[in-house]
Amino acid sequence: MERRNGARYQKAVNTLPFSQIGIVGTGKVARAFALGLQNHSSAPLMVWGRTPAKCREAVGHVAYARAVSSLSDIVNACDVVAIAVADDVIPEIVRAITEAGALSQAPARLPRQRRMRDSGA
């Protein structure tokens, strides 16, 4: 039974409709996101951090990722963005995303995805 549930999970993860994934942040949690998501993106992950040197270092730990120079690169190109920054930086990141146009360019609704229990696996 457990194996069957694992197969359902694997099927759901492998069929996500995301072609470009972005990571905001360069710390341990951001690196963990990148390592976990790198095999689920059809294009190299895009990673942005406030410090270019730390961003390059974080990308060096992930085989399928590239550093980008601005947050707007991620906002304009990515289907999904994982944000892994310190709590006190979140307002700054939200302002930067808003200024980059993320809220005005966001789709009105996400495409409907089948629930795992409905997958018939």
Side-chain angles (χ1 to χ4, degrees):
M1 182 78 156
E2 184 176 325
R3 187 176 181 106
R4 184 175 179 197
N5 288 338
R8 283 185 187 173
Y9 171 77
Q10 191 63 37
K11 181 179 178 184
V13 168
N14 287 336
T15 58
L16 288 175
F18 306 122
S19 60
Q20 182 68 67
I21 298 173
I23 308 288
V24 175
T26 58
K28 290 179 182 179
V29 173
R31 291 178 192 181
F33 276 148
L35 288 170
L37 294 171
Q38 69 182 340
N39 294 327
H40 304 289
S41 179
S42 59
L45 299 177
M46 298 174 79
V47 179
W48 178 83
R50 294 178 295 158
T51 308
K54 286 185 181 179
C55 191
R56 286 188 299 273
E57 179 185 340
V59 168
H61 291 275
V62 182
Y64 197 58
R66 66 185 177 97
V68 295
S69 59
S70 73
L71 188 55
S72 63
D73 293 339
I74 286 182
V75 169
N76 294 320
C78 294
D79 301 309
V80 64
V81 178
I83 300 174
V85 298
D87 289 347
D88 61 331
V89 181
I90 291 173
E92 177 185 337
I93 297 299
V94 170
R95 269 192 302 278
I97 288 172
T98 303
E99 290 171 5
L103 298 180
S104 64
Q105 295 177 9
R109 61 178 237 199
L110 295 173
R112 185 177 182 277
Q113 296 181 16
R114 290 174 38 169
R115 295 181 185 150
M116 284 191 275
R117 69 171 182 240
D118 296 338
S119 67

